Amino acid sequence: MRLVVARCTVEYEGRLAARLEEAVRLIMRKADGSLAIHADGGAYKPLNWMSPPNFLEESEGRWVVSNEAGERLVITLHEVVSDVSHDLGEDPGLWKDGVEAHLQELLANDPSVLGEDYRLIRREYPTAIGPVDLLVRDADGNVVAVEVKRRGETTGVEQLARYLEFLNKTETLAPVCGLLVAQQINPGARVLAEERGIRCLLVDYSRLKGDAPEELRLF
Amino acid sequence: MKFRCERDSLTNAIGRASRAVAKSTHSLIHQGLLLQLDGDSLTVTGSDIDLTIQARVEVTGFESGEVLVPSRLFVDVIRHLPLGAVDVTLAESNVVIRDARERSEFLVRTMNSADFVSVPEVETAPISVEVSDFVAGLKRVIPAARKDDSRPILTGVLVATKGSSLRLVATDSYRLGLCDLDGIDMGVDEEGVIVPSRALEEITKVMGDVDKLFVKLDDNTAVFEFDDLTVTTRLINGDFPSYENLIPTDHPNVLIANRVEMLDAIRRVRLVGDTETPIRINIQSDSVTLSSGTDRGEAKEVIENIEYKGEELQIAFNASYLNDGIEVARSDAIVLLTADALKPALLKGDGDTGFLYLLMPVRVV
């Protein structure tokens, strides 16, 4: 990662012509070949940029970045304030908290969250139209197909309804009920779920993964 | 269908029945109020399937019949009419509502009454119950019932026979309210039935000024009948948690404090916290200090007029749960029995043997 802070002017030619008048800016050249020119504002959005693959031709006081599409970015450096490079190493990637897979795993570990005496049959139960997140049995031994979402929307209800239609054709499982589990469920999804005979359940992700303060309970 | 009725009488009936109407838009049909006119008797029914409330009102009937109307609109229209008599007439697919002086006229589209839920019938003999004690008992335990449906069994109130008493128990697993009502027999056995707390709460709100109610129960349904009102609810199937062995019989620490002083102190201390902020209680031989704090600030209240027997103790509780328990203890003084900072505390009114409130402390750093 090379970071250059410089007083510069920038001219772009390609899909259109654009010019950045002389000012101090951050020029960011990443290891993947991308180049972005930032002002001290505009959040994450660069003023101008060139995606990889591209070719950087660097000379005294002048960078020319071009690509095969014929786009050309000419940066004239009037004064270089700072020019540093860092090896950031391999990035472990973004871990999104609350992803459905983790929610699914937590529920699989403790199916009683879904209902009293619920027992896990299988996680990612395979069907010809895709895997059902969780297949569980309720206290009476009935099979329940569980769709786990971070946010419950009508698409999730429809997806579960398709699974139910398929599973209820399987004699060894039928009758199979549906349960939509999510951290939030929008009103439309609730209406649709009720129409399809699918129960909705809100879960507290923080509490499931134990981030919430430990609560003392009577039972 | 055509009838005339005083606005306030009709408002009262439809207002009570509409309490059972589904609050959300889950299903359009459950947003309706069913009006059934038989002679001079109008029955108004609201239902969300689980809970049904039927209110009866005497009217001047001109033509019997029934119609399903959208609850909210119908209630709003009737409520806003001028004081006096109201004429309601079914005209094809509309209900025409006029004040008797014919200055106001509304046309409300009707709904298809064929789709309305059928109210379950219970054939068992009705049992008469004294209202005042029963309702007072309900009001003491209902706050402890769970509000969300993550554990459906806990959204109900256990109604069971215990010796010569009717026992009411509700718990959300953090606290438990138990009330024994002497001399009330509701025809339930020791195992009891679990009645949705929502239905019982509505009973306490809609029943009006009556001395007796009649209860009919079968395996799935409970019916509560008053003079002009019938509340029908499905029962919750399942086993209520074993609670009796949770109630400690031995508490080394006994605090007796003025109930109103405690409530006032809690109310003030809670000002700096939010719903989740616990209240810390420091109990010493001659005083109790309640404190709470968040990023917004800190609060402390000292109550000196107490009696305490036991070790000095620091314990914390969920502020709402503690407040609820003290609120429903009816005596001038409350008794707080504790073992240590992590074991359930027992709260009751001083000298009140029919009620107890078990409260789990909150672990604080």
Side-chain angles (χ1 to χ4, degrees):
Chain A
M1 168 78 79
R2 184 177 176 191
L3 301 170
V4 177
V5 178
R7 180 176 298 281
C8 60
T9 49
V10 182
E11 285 172 283
Y12 167 80
E13 291 171 14
R15 291 158 293 164
L16 51 84
R19 176 180 170 83
L20 296 173
E21 294 296 340
E22 184 178 327
V24 178
R25 300 188 177 92
L26 169 66
I27 304 165
M28 188 186 293
R29 176 74 170 173
K30 291 188 179 180
D32 66 354
S34 61
L35 186 137
I37 299 155
H38 285 270
D40 200 2
Y44 60 91
K45 287 185 177 174
L47 297 168
N48 217 325
W49 70 96
M50 192 75 96
S51 301
N54 60 45
F55 178 71
L56 172 61
E57 184 185 344
E58 194 175 341
S59 58
E60 184 66 31
R62 182 180 160 93
W63 290 14
V64 179
V65 190
S66 55
N67 65 17
E68 289 184 352
E71 292 174 296
R72 195 159 176 266
L73 199 63
V74 179
I75 304 169
T76 305
L77 304 169
H78 305 289
E79 178 192 357
V80 176
V81 180
S82 169
D83 185 350
V84 293
S85 294
H86 300 280
D87 181 0
L88 302 189
E90 194 171 331
D91 192 87
L94 176 65
W95 189 78
K96 288 183 182 172
D97 200 13
V99 292
E100 287 156 18
H102 194 209
L103 206 50
Q104 186 196 105
E105 181 186 337
L106 292 165
L107 292 168
N109 290 339
D110 184 9
S112 68
V113 174
L114 305 172
E116 259 180 298
D117 294 330
Y118 273 45
R119 308 180 304 282
L120 180 69
I121 298 173
R122 187 174 167 174
R123 195 178 156 194
E124 297 283 347
Y125 184 87
T127 75
I129 55 170
V132 179
D133 287 343
L134 298 171
L135 206 65
V136 297
R137 278 193 199 282
D138 67 15
D140 299 323
N142 300 313
V143 177
V144 181
V146 183
E147 182 65 29
V148 181
K149 295 288 182 196
R150 199 173 69 80
R151 184 177 174 82
E153 297 181 338
T154 51
T155 49
V157 177
E158 283 161 354
Q159 184 184 356
L160 181 52
R162 286 196 298 274
Y163 288 140
L164 288 173
E165 192 180 347
F166 187 86
L167 291 169
N168 274 310
K169 289 175 185 166
T170 311
E171 279 184 17
T172 51
L173 296 175
V176 182
C177 304
L179 174 60
L180 177 69
V181 181
Q183 287 178 273
Q184 298 174 332
I185 298 176
N186 73 25
R190 278 192 183 276
V191 173
L192 188 62
E194 185 165 300
E195 291 294 321
R196 304 276 163 90
I198 292 169
R199 183 161 76 91
C200 295
L201 178 69
L202 291 176
V203 289
D204 185 335
Y205 178 59
S206 300
R207 190 159 293 171
L208 277 176
K209 65 179 181 166
D211 284 355
E214 185 185 356
E215 289 174 327
L216 302 169
R217 290 175 183 246
L218 292 165
F219 45 84
Chain B
M1 188 190 71
K2 184 175 180 181
F3 64 88
R4 171 173 286 191
C5 182
E6 286 300 310
R7 183 201 68 176
D8 286 351
S9 302
L10 188 56
T11 300
N12 182 39
I14 61 180
R16 293 197 285 174
S18 67
R19 297 187 67 89
V21 172
K23 299 281 186 293
S24 62
T25 54
H26 283 191
S27 176
L28 196 59
I29 205 70
H30 302 137
Q31 311 273 303
L33 272 183
L34 185 66
L35 310 180
Q36 293 170 298
L37 180 65
D38 183 9
D40 288 337
S41 177
L42 177 72
T43 302
V44 185
T45 305
S47 178
D48 70 351
I49 300 180
D50 291 339
L51 173 67
T52 301
I53 299 178
Q54 295 173 291
R56 291 172 290 279
V57 57
E58 286 301 306
V59 300
T60 304
F62 301 111
E63 188 181 342
S64 297
E66 70 172 38
V67 65
L68 187 67
V69 292
S71 173
R72 182 177 292 179
L73 178 58
F74 190 74
V75 170
D76 281 348
V77 168
I78 298 294
R79 187 179 287 156
H80 286 93
L81 284 175
L83 189 63
V86 176
D87 289 326
V88 178
T89 309
L90 175 61
E92 296 180 354
S93 60
N94 298 302
V95 161
V96 182
I97 305 161
R98 293 189 188 93
D99 76 304
R101 289 180 295 178
E102 298 195 355
R103 290 179 185 171
S104 302
E105 180 177 303
F106 289 83
L107 212 69
V108 173
R109 308 268 182 267
T110 62
M111 302 160 76
N112 185 1
S113 62
D115 297 333
F116 195 67
V117 290
S118 57
V119 183
E121 298 279 339
V122 175
E123 302 296 340
T124 58
I127 294 171
S128 168
V129 174
E130 288 288 337
V131 163
S132 58
D133 287 346
F134 180 60
V135 168
L138 290 178
K139 286 181 176 175
R140 303 179 90 182
V141 301
I142 284 172
R146 201 173 182 95
K147 305 297 179 287
D148 66 76
D149 62 356
S150 57
R151 296 178 71 180
I153 206 92
L154 301 185
T155 61
V157 173
L158 176 70
V159 181
T161 293
K162 184 73 176 175
S164 61
S165 301
L166 183 72
R167 174 164 284 188
L168 307 174
V169 188
T171 176
D172 61 5
S173 82
Y174 301 105
R175 53 356 202 320
L176 179 144
L178 182 153
C179 192
D180 284 335
L181 304 169
D182 279 342
I184 295 185
D185 178 4
M186 202 181 268
V188 290
D189 58 18
E190 287 191 358
E191 200 174 312
V193 294
I194 304 167
V195 186
S197 62
R198 183 191 162 212
L200 295 173
E201 191 169 13
E202 291 300 343
I203 285 172
T204 66
K205 290 177 179 169
V206 301
M207 54 178 293
D209 189 17
V210 292
D211 296 329
K212 283 192 182 299
L213 67 88
F214 294 90
V215 182
K216 294 192 288 185
L217 288 165
D218 67 14
D219 290 344
N220 300 309
T221 308
V223 180
F224 300 86
E225 291 178 337
F226 310 89
D227 281 350
D228 55 356
L229 200 73
T230 302
V231 177
T232 305
T233 177
R234 75 171 170 85
L235 298 174
I236 300 174
N237 294 318
D239 296 324
F240 200 77
S242 305
Y243 64 90
E244 286 184 298
N245 55 359
L246 294 173
I247 301 168
T249 51
D250 180 36
H251 283 94
N253 308 313
V254 182
L255 167 71
I256 301 175
N258 181 280
R259 174 174 166 272
V260 174
E261 277 188 51
M262 283 290 283
L263 285 172
D264 285 347
I266 291 169
R267 192 179 67 244
R268 286 192 288 265
V269 167
R270 289 179 72 180
L271 294 174
V272 295
D274 52 36
T275 53
E276 298 290 320
T277 310
I279 285 186
R280 292 175 164 84
I281 301 181
N282 184 356
I283 312 173
Q284 295 180 316
S285 61
D286 57 352
S287 68
V288 174
T289 304
L290 285 75
S291 61
S292 182
T294 60
D295 294 344
R296 297 196 297 163
E298 293 180 359
K300 187 173 83 171
E301 285 273 339
V302 180
I303 300 173
E304 292 182 325
N305 182 25
I306 61 146
E307 290 174 38
Y308 184 58
K309 190 179 73 180
E311 298 288 314
E312 183 179 337
L313 178 69
Q314 288 256 21
I315 192 167
F317 296 107
N318 175 300
S320 297
Y321 299 169
L322 177 65
N323 187 75
D324 286 349
I326 297 176
E327 193 84 58
V328 296
R330 283 189 297 201
S331 309
D332 292 340
I334 55 112
V335 182
L336 182 67
L337 303 157
T338 51
D340 62 37
L342 300 178
K343 292 206 175 78
L346 198 58
L347 183 65
K348 51 189 185 180
D350 191 18
D352 181 3
T353 55
F355 172 75
L356 64 84
Y357 187 84
L358 195 61
L359 178 59
M360 221 42 212
V362 175
R363 195 194 295 268
V364 290
V365 181

